[in-house]
Amino acid sequence: MVFKAMGLDVLGEVTMAVLRPPALLLALVVSELHCLPWFINISESQGPGSVLQSFSFNCTSHKPTLELVRVKPSTTFFNLPSLSRRQQVYVGTVTLSSSARLDALAVNHYELQLRLTCGKHVTEGPLYVDVHRDPDYSPCAGRFASPAGEIIQVRETVTPGAQLYTLLLPGLEPQRAQISINSTQDPPYFPGPFSINGQGWLLAPSQGLKGQAKKVFQLQILVTFGQNRSCHRMLKVKVLPAPSSQISFLGQAPNITVPEDLAPGSKVVQVRARGFNVRYEIVSPVPCPLFSIGREDGVIRTTAPLELAQARGAAVTRLQVKAYERLMPWAGVDLDLTVNVRSVNRWPPRCLPAMLVTEIPETTPVGTVLNTFTCADPDSPGSALDYELRFHSPPGPASLCLRDRALEVNATLDCDTPGVCFQHAASILVLDGGQPLMTTEVPVLVMVTPVNEFSPACVPHTFRIREDAGPYTLLGSVVGTDKDYPHNSIEYYVASGPTAFSVDRLSGEVHLLGSLDYELQTLYKLTVLLTDHGQDQDPTHRRSGSCTITIEVEDVNDYAPECQPPFQELTVYAPLGRSVEVTKVSCWVPQEPQRLAFSYSIVGGNSQSRFSLRGPILVHDNIMLGPPWPEQPRTYELLIRVADAGPSIPHLSTTATVIVHLVPWSTSTVATRTHRATVPSMMTPLLVTDMEAFWQPEPWFVVVLTVTSALFLLALGWLFGRLFQGLAQMLQTPSKPAQALLLNSIRGPEESIEGFMEAPRMEMPQTPSSVMSLRHFDGRAQDSRTGRDYLFNTLTGARRWL
């Protein structure tokens, strides 16, 4: 019958394997590959080489493999599955190894995990082996367990006390079997008694067997193992004479080192001996679970994996190899070899966890353990490993450290500075101590989450605003600060205060909503509440703070000042060279009597600047000492502007009119009297302005005109000098041709010079006199008594009537 599963053609068959006694015949039928697991029962009496399971399958397009993945509990009793091909069918077989010694009292159940591969198709399944007890099973080993007993041959040159024979199966020594020799060993036939040690080994007499050649020693041995389990058999020891042949081993190093990753069947070493038709065998240890030797070629090969982690005791194996001639097996020589298995570093360390991704708050205390890594080396379990912490982002061991496989917080995790927090990328490099060095890198990503630790705050501030400010006027901004990042995630609210002001929720700008009146209220207190947001992993975790804002209202002039009286007419006698106080302007604001600061200025009528103000006092300044002096009285109509002088803007003002009749001082005047005439406040003064036009050159024009005239005179003088020099030379030479030539040469320049000099010759006498007559007078006025116009000089007082 043919079954197909996962690309495999499985042939169910019954496989019979005949074993040499006392092996049994085991046959199982495999119906379908996916019918695994299989269950088999075997007796504890099964020995090495026994077939446990055999099955056939068809893999047409690939070469199949059959593997023994693992055995539970771990043991070397099972060989690796063999795979052979018979025509188009592959046959897989599972057998017991040479070291198999089954004991149902010790272990009665084994689980073998098999893996069958055909190309890309892989199938795994368990094979369960149950071991049951055999009441007739003898604990004795080899032919010694048979009724006929065993005959062994030893040379007379055997070492005293050497191991001659193994009476118990390996693995049964710890069961404390009772072994004794019942037969007599009396001299002189026996050179000394044979003995049995605790491992069930028959040992040569301590006196040796020298001279006992061709003797046969019969030993009756009783082995008792547990209740009703024993063997009473005969063991014959035949002593052979020393070999007469010259067989000997060739030069061979006593110590051999092999790597542990040698596959079973690999060559370890080849020993060679000198002789005829030489044969080789391993005489110690018997049985040898790890190594075997070719009987004819002397090649020592491995028979099982040398994994140091699984096969304990495989690190050092001491072999005793015997070489003998086929026709003279008693005549042989021994060679002692020590096979050292060197550890091979094939696998990198394995760690748990293989990757670490975690979140921690920024307030995590220093020294907090984030995780402890557990790593092991599959090549050498229990060996020490080295750990290194490497940082990637940000570089440098700032916030994390590794102490004895534990990843800890090394420094304060501060997320309140931009770019220094939020995640730390690192890796832990694990190194073993093997050759070559194998490493494993464990990625680590630690994400630090922000915590809202601090409350926002602002500094109390004072804003000033004019009382005439309109709605939505910006007073300023409340600047909040927060130590948590981001620092500007603050919202502003008005907690308490007047409704005439508002605070923008995002910017903190303070705006005016209503109107203000300085006379009603000059100061406002506003409590601003600050609330942060977006600074914690929990969006509902928010903090708040507050500060008080003071708003001062600035007074703005609502009313212009009023003067009493608004119009004054005065007569003042002004002495020469003295200042005379004319009057005092008295002004105030009736609606705001507290406003007392005013500024005063003359804005009109102050010709010749004869009047000035000293605060509200009008003063006539008569400082001219020289002539000309005004001979007739004059009248000045002064306009005085009075404005408030406070800090607020605008400055409202009013104008007071003062008419001053100025009478010059004379020696016949006995006293100075001032006649003051006031106009009632109900009368409106009439202002008459007379504009007179006169030419007053600027000082720079006078300077330019003077310099230009001087340069012109210099050029004219130089020209006349040249002309006179030419005439003088002409008069000195009487030659007429020369004179004619001179006249011809001068005629052209003279004509051009005459044209150039003719115009100035007519106007030169008039220009200096007119300029000199005008430059002394810089003012023009009209005599109030006669009505005549005149020019005057403000510095000297000189007059010129027009």
Side-chain angles (χ1 to χ4, degrees):
M1 181 180 295
V2 180
F3 300 87
K4 295 184 178 180
M6 298 178 65
L8 300 177
D9 296 336
V10 182
L11 305 178
E13 66 171 11
V14 179
T15 303
M16 305 295 293
V18 180
L19 305 175
R20 62 180 179 178
L24 297 178
L25 177 64
L26 296 177
L28 295 176
V29 177
V30 182
S31 59
E32 289 189 52
L33 195 60
H34 63 264
C35 290
L36 294 176
W38 300 316
F39 297 89
I40 61 174
N41 293 315
I42 62 174
S43 173
E44 65 179 347
S45 61
Q46 299 302 310
S50 299
V51 177
L52 300 181
Q53 179 70 25
S54 180
F55 55 91
S56 302
F57 60 92
N58 188 10
C59 182
T60 58
S61 58
H62 300 84
K63 183 178 181 180
T65 59
L66 182 62
E67 304 174 73
L68 177 60
V69 180
R70 61 179 179 273
V71 179
K72 292 183 180 180
S74 179
T75 182
T76 61
F77 289 175
F78 303 95
N79 286 326
L80 295 176
S82 63
L83 193 61
S84 61
R85 184 173 182 177
R86 299 174 184 175
Q87 296 180 355
Q88 299 298 327
V89 178
Y90 289 93
V91 178
T93 306
V94 181
T95 60
L96 293 176
S97 68
S98 60
S99 63
R101 297 295 183 269
L102 301 177
D103 185 2
L105 296 178
V107 179
N108 60 4
H109 179 78
Y110 294 94
E111 178 183 347
L112 284 68
Q113 186 72 18
L114 300 178
R115 178 186 296 161
L116 179 61
T117 304
C118 179
K120 296 183 179 179
H121 302 285
V122 180
T123 301
E124 286 192 12
L127 173 62
Y128 298 106
V129 180
D130 293 329
V131 182
H132 60 82
R133 293 191 60 191
D134 186 357
D136 299 329
Y137 175 59
S138 173
C140 300
R143 296 181 180 179
F144 177 71
S146 65
E150 175 73 297
I151 298 177
I152 62 174
Q153 296 178 350
V154 297
R155 295 190 303 271
E156 63 177 341
T157 58
V158 68
T159 303
Q163 175 185 350
L164 303 180
Y165 190 77
T166 300
L167 300 172
L168 292 179
L169 293 174
L172 300 179
E173 297 87 348
Q175 305 297 331
R176 296 189 178 184
Q178 297 179 3
I179 307 174
S180 61
I181 300 177
N182 294 339
S183 60
T184 60
Q185 304 183 59
D186 297 332
Y189 191 78
F190 280 86
F194 292 84
S195 61
I196 300 174
N197 64 4
Q199 285 78 25
W201 294 348
L202 177 66
L203 305 179
S206 59
Q207 294 82 2
L209 297 176
K210 194 68 174 178
Q212 306 297 322
K214 300 184 179 180
K215 284 187 177 182
V216 177
F217 300 99
Q218 297 184 2
L219 302 176
Q220 293 287 340
I221 300 175
L222 175 64
V223 180
T224 302
F225 181 73
Q227 186 177 3
N228 299 326
R229 300 183 66 186
S230 64
C231 57
H232 192 185
R233 299 291 186 264
M234 175 71 70
L235 180 63
K236 298 178 181 180
V237 180
K238 183 178 181 181
V239 181
L240 302 176
S244 58
S245 64
Q246 299 299 322
I247 188 171
S248 63
F249 280 98
L250 300 178
Q252 176 64 46
N255 294 314
I256 302 169
T257 301
V258 295
E260 66 170 335
D261 58 349
L262 278 181
S266 300
K267 178 180 177 180
V268 177
V269 70
Q270 184 177 16
V271 296
R272 296 183 180 274
R274 183 184 297 108
F276 177 73
N277 203 1
V278 179
R279 297 292 186 267
Y280 304 92
E281 67 177 7
I282 297 176
V283 297
S284 178
V286 177
C288 184
L290 300 177
F291 303 97
S292 64
I293 189 170
R295 292 179 59 84
E296 297 181 359
D297 57 7
V299 177
I300 298 178
R301 300 179 182 274
T302 60
T303 59
L306 302 179
E307 297 284 349
L308 297 179
Q310 299 178 3
R312 297 182 179 179
V316 179
T317 302
R318 293 177 176 84
L319 300 177
Q320 187 176 17
V321 180
K322 177 182 177 181
Y324 60 93
E325 294 181 354
R326 185 175 65 85
L327 300 178
M328 300 176 60
W330 62 87
V333 293
D334 296 335
L335 175 65
D336 294 328
L337 294 177
T338 301
V339 180
N340 301 296
V341 179
R342 173 174 51 84
S343 176
V344 176
N345 200 20
R346 294 175 294 169
W347 306 100
R350 298 176 181 175
C351 298
L352 288 177
M355 180 176 64
L356 176 61
V357 178
T358 183
E359 284 187 357
I360 57 174
E362 64 172 321
T363 55
T364 302
V366 176
T368 301
V369 177
L370 303 182
N371 203 300
T372 300
F373 296 89
T374 302
C375 301
D377 188 359
D379 298 312
S380 180
S383 61
L385 302 174
D386 295 329
Y387 299 81
E388 294 181 4
L389 179 60
R390 296 184 176 182
F391 289 88
H392 304 303
S393 174
S399 301
L400 304 176
C401 67
L402 189 66
R403 291 189 178 92
D404 192 22
R405 301 184 296 110
L407 185 63
E408 299 180 359
V409 177
N410 187 45
T412 302
L413 302 175
D414 186 11
C415 291
D416 300 326
T417 302
V420 300
C421 191
F422 303 127
Q423 78 176 20
H424 297 270
S427 62
I428 297 177
L429 190 66
V430 185
L431 306 93
D432 60 14
Q435 292 295 332
L437 184 66
M438 304 293 287
T439 62
T440 296
E441 189 170 6
V442 180
V444 176
L445 180 61
V446 179
M447 292 175 287
V448 183
T449 58
V451 177
N452 195 359
E453 304 175 78
F454 307 99
S455 298
C458 61
V459 179
H461 195 75
T462 300
F463 298 110
R464 291 178 175 84
I465 184 172
R466 293 164 52 89
E467 65 172 329
D468 60 348
Y472 305 105
T473 301
L474 175 63
L475 281 74
S477 298
V478 179
V479 181
T481 58
D482 195 340
K483 295 182 181 179
D484 294 308
Y485 183 81
H487 305 295
N488 58 349
S489 295
I490 301 176
E491 295 180 355
Y492 303 86
Y493 303 93
V494 177
S496 63
T499 59
F501 301 94
S502 68
V503 178
D504 187 86
R505 182 176 64 89
L506 299 179
S507 64
E509 295 180 348
V510 182
H511 293 270
L512 175 66
L513 297 181
S515 60
L516 301 174
D517 193 344
Y518 178 83
E519 285 71 28
L520 296 180
Q521 187 172 353
T522 61
L523 191 68
Y524 294 89
K525 295 288 185 178
L526 193 66
T527 301
V528 179
L529 179 66
L530 289 77
T531 304
D532 57 19
H533 62 88
Q535 296 174 333
D536 195 279
Q537 186 74 3
D538 181 7
T540 61
H541 184 201
R542 307 177 71 176
R543 290 178 176 269
S544 60
S546 63
C547 63
T548 301
I549 302 301
T550 302
I551 301 175
E552 296 180 356
V553 181
E554 295 181 350
D555 188 17
V556 177
N557 299 336
D558 298 329
Y559 305 96
E562 298 180 4
C563 298
Q564 290 294 333
F567 177 83
Q568 301 182 51
E569 184 175 2
L570 307 172
T571 301
V572 178
Y573 295 91
L576 181 64
R578 294 178 56 186
S579 297
V580 178
E581 179 179 334
V582 177
T583 185
K584 180 179 181 181
V585 181
S586 178
C587 302
W588 68 91
V589 180
Q591 295 82 358
E592 299 177 6
Q594 74 278 4
R595 191 184 302 278
L596 301 177
F598 301 99
S599 63
Y600 303 86
S601 61
I602 302 175
V603 296
N606 190 16
S607 61
Q608 303 179 11
S609 301
R610 292 184 177 273
F611 296 90
S612 63
L613 287 171
R614 298 174 183 175
I617 300 175
L618 179 63
V619 178
H620 173 260
D621 298 320
N622 192 359
I623 59 174
M624 293 185 298
L625 300 178
W629 175 248
E631 299 176 357
Q632 301 296 330
R634 292 195 58 184
T635 299
Y636 296 89
E637 185 175 340
L638 303 177
L639 299 180
I640 300 176
R641 179 179 179 271
V642 181
D644 54 67
S648 61
I649 298 176
H651 296 287
L652 301 181
S653 63
T654 187
T655 303
T657 304
V658 179
I659 299 177
V660 181
H661 300 285
L662 184 63
V663 179
W665 176 269
S666 63
T667 55
S668 60
T669 304
V670 179
T672 301
R673 293 187 302 171
T674 300
H675 300 280
R676 180 174 308 208
T678 60
V679 178
S681 58
M682 296 302 294
M683 296 178 63
T684 302
L686 178 62
L687 300 180
V688 179
T689 303
D690 184 16
M691 302 296 294
E692 295 182 358
F694 66 96
W695 180 70
Q696 180 181 353
E698 297 292 336
W700 65 267
F701 179 78
V702 176
V703 173
V704 171
L705 184 61
T706 305
V707 173
T708 304
S709 302
L711 293 177
F712 179 76
L713 293 175
L714 290 176
L716 191 60
W718 176 82
L719 184 60
F720 277 110
R722 296 287 295 178
L723 182 60
F724 291 150
Q725 288 179 3
L727 292 175
Q729 292 177 0
M730 184 179 63
L731 293 176
Q732 290 178 2
T733 55
S735 177
K736 291 182 179 181
Q739 292 177 357
L741 181 61
L742 179 61
L743 290 175
N744 292 333
S745 63
I746 295 176
R747 185 173 301 169
E750 283 181 346
E751 291 176 357
S752 61
I753 292 174
E754 286 179 357
F756 177 75
M757 294 293 296
E758 186 175 0
R761 197 174 298 161
M762 297 174 62
E763 296 181 5
M764 284 285 291
Q766 297 177 0
T767 300
S769 62
S770 63
V771 173
M772 293 300 294
S773 63
L774 293 176
R775 67 180 179 178
H776 295 290
F777 303 97
D778 55 357
R780 179 173 179 173
Q782 185 179 29
D783 186 80
S784 59
R785 186 176 54 182
T786 62
R788 293 185 57 187
D789 293 336
Y790 63 92
L791 301 178
F792 63 91
N793 190 305
T794 56
L795 297 178
T796 61
R799 296 186 180 183
R800 180 181 180 87
W801 295 97
L802 298 177

XYZ file of all heavy atoms in Angstrom, residues 14 74 99 107 142 147 155 214 267 276 304 314 318 332 334 347 357 406 424-425 481 526 546 587 615 668 724 754:
208
model
N 6.331 -4.398 6.816
C 6.794 -5.038 8.051
C 8.253 -5.404 7.841
O 8.586 -6.156 6.929
C 5.957 -6.282 8.402
C 6.490 -6.920 9.665
C 4.494 -5.904 8.556
N 18.049 12.249 28.346
C 19.244 12.213 27.520
C 20.059 10.951 27.811
O 20.327 10.614 28.968
C 20.082 13.469 27.786
O 21.256 13.428 27.012
N 26.700 1.151 23.599
C 26.720 1.420 25.042
C 25.375 1.173 25.705
O 25.204 1.486 26.878
C 27.145 2.875 25.273
O 26.187 3.753 24.696
N 15.195 3.333 34.176
C 14.421 4.131 33.234
C 13.559 3.175 32.426
O 14.072 2.231 31.822
C 15.329 4.939 32.279
C 14.482 5.743 31.309
C 16.255 5.861 33.053
N 28.250 -10.672 28.730
C 28.897 -11.502 27.722
C 28.595 -12.989 27.878
O 27.537 -13.412 28.322
N 25.381 -20.669 30.381
C 25.698 -21.801 31.290
C 27.100 -22.347 31.077
O 27.715 -22.843 32.033
C 24.613 -22.818 30.932
C 23.497 -22.011 30.364
C 24.145 -20.890 29.618
N 48.255 -13.157 28.732
C 49.669 -13.488 28.643
C 50.270 -13.528 30.027
O 49.804 -12.873 30.958
C 50.392 -12.443 27.799
C 49.943 -12.427 26.350
C 50.874 -11.538 25.538
N 50.921 -10.190 26.071
C 50.109 -9.221 25.721
N 49.157 -9.459 24.831
N 50.232 -8.024 26.245
N 50.669 -21.642 30.002
C 49.953 -22.863 29.669
C 49.100 -23.393 30.800
O 48.539 -24.482 30.694
C 50.904 -23.946 29.192
C 51.698 -23.558 27.937
C 52.545 -24.716 27.452
C 53.319 -24.318 26.181
N 54.167 -25.443 25.671
N 37.471 10.095 11.304
C 38.758 9.531 11.682
C 39.406 10.377 12.758
O 39.459 11.599 12.655
C 39.664 9.455 10.460
C 41.060 8.926 10.745
C 41.894 8.881 9.467
C 43.322 8.412 9.756
N 44.137 8.373 8.528
N 53.291 -9.415 11.117
C 52.699 -10.095 9.971
C 51.221 -10.278 10.233
O 50.817 -10.850 11.248
C 53.375 -11.467 9.755
C 52.767 -12.252 8.627
C 52.993 -11.898 7.299
C 51.940 -13.341 8.902
C 52.419 -12.623 6.284
C 51.359 -14.064 7.877
C 51.606 -13.711 6.564
N 30.075 8.105 18.221
C 28.968 8.899 18.777
C 29.407 10.361 18.775
O 30.595 10.681 18.687
C 28.612 8.431 20.183
N 33.408 12.991 28.112
C 34.006 12.840 26.792
C 35.214 13.737 26.601
O 35.875 13.656 25.558
C 32.976 13.147 25.715
N 40.927 7.698 27.816
C 42.187 6.941 27.775
C 41.910 5.580 27.136
O 41.122 4.787 27.660
C 42.773 6.788 29.165
C 43.246 8.121 29.749
C 43.772 7.956 31.170
N 44.307 9.202 31.677
C 43.573 10.153 32.230
N 42.260 9.989 32.335
N 44.150 11.264 32.663
N 50.662 -10.223 21.648
C 50.355 -8.866 21.217
C 51.023 -7.826 22.106
O 51.603 -8.150 23.147
N 50.524 -3.668 23.674
C 49.505 -2.634 23.996
C 50.078 -1.234 23.791
O 51.284 -1.009 23.945
C 49.030 -2.779 25.439
C 48.312 -4.089 25.656
O 47.789 -4.629 24.681
O 48.284 -4.553 26.813
N 28.177 28.252 18.564
C 26.912 28.964 18.740
C 27.125 30.209 19.576
O 27.837 30.167 20.572
C 25.882 28.064 19.431
C 25.674 26.761 18.742
C 26.196 25.556 19.077
C 24.920 26.545 17.547
N 25.815 24.593 18.195
C 25.015 25.174 17.239
C 24.160 27.367 16.717
C 24.402 24.610 16.139
C 23.529 26.811 15.620
C 23.647 25.452 15.340
N 12.195 46.434 24.939
C 11.515 47.693 24.629
C 10.651 48.018 25.833
O 9.762 47.246 26.198
C 10.656 47.589 23.355
C 9.935 48.903 23.102
C 11.518 47.213 22.158
N 22.321 43.581 34.859
C 21.107 44.348 35.156
C 21.227 45.734 34.530
O 22.208 46.448 34.765
C 20.890 44.461 36.654
N 15.924 56.360 24.339
C 17.338 56.016 24.389
C 17.493 54.681 23.669
O 16.915 53.664 24.082
C 17.841 55.903 25.827
C 17.754 57.180 26.604
N 18.779 58.105 26.650
C 16.746 57.712 27.329
C 18.409 59.137 27.392
N 17.176 58.916 27.812
N 18.273 54.676 22.592
C 18.530 53.464 21.824
C 19.927 52.965 22.170
O 20.905 53.715 22.120
C 18.424 53.742 20.320
N 5.631 81.098 32.471
C 6.785 80.199 32.331
C 6.448 78.871 32.986
O 5.747 78.822 33.995
C 8.049 80.805 32.975
O 7.794 81.063 34.364
C 8.430 82.089 32.281
N -6.367 92.368 38.482
C -6.851 91.276 37.646
C -6.044 90.022 37.998
O -4.818 90.023 37.911
C -6.657 91.624 36.165
C -7.374 90.743 35.142
C -8.865 90.920 35.268
C -6.916 91.104 33.735
N -1.176 81.072 39.246
C -1.839 82.358 39.030
C -0.909 83.489 39.416
O 0.081 83.295 40.126
C -3.138 82.448 39.840
O -2.855 82.383 41.234
N -4.763 131.225 34.962
C -5.592 130.240 34.282
C -5.807 129.026 35.164
O -4.977 128.713 36.034
C -4.958 129.817 32.959
S -4.659 131.189 31.808
N 7.177 131.693 33.367
C 6.013 131.038 33.918
C 4.778 131.775 33.446
O 4.614 132.095 32.271
N 12.090 163.187 32.335
C 11.097 164.065 32.954
C 9.987 163.285 33.607
O 9.158 163.852 34.322
C 10.517 165.026 31.882
O 9.896 164.244 30.859
N 49.142 147.420 -19.039
C 50.139 148.495 -18.881
C 51.527 148.003 -19.185
O 52.347 148.742 -19.737
C 50.063 149.082 -17.471
C 48.791 149.874 -17.234
C 48.222 149.956 -15.972
C 48.181 150.574 -18.300
C 47.069 150.686 -15.771
C 47.011 151.295 -18.068
C 46.443 151.349 -16.823
N 37.308 145.431 -23.620
C 36.383 146.544 -23.519
C 34.956 146.049 -23.395
O 34.167 146.567 -22.600
C 36.525 147.433 -24.770
C 37.784 148.268 -24.768
C 37.880 149.119 -26.040
O 36.968 148.947 -26.884
O 38.821 149.911 -26.166
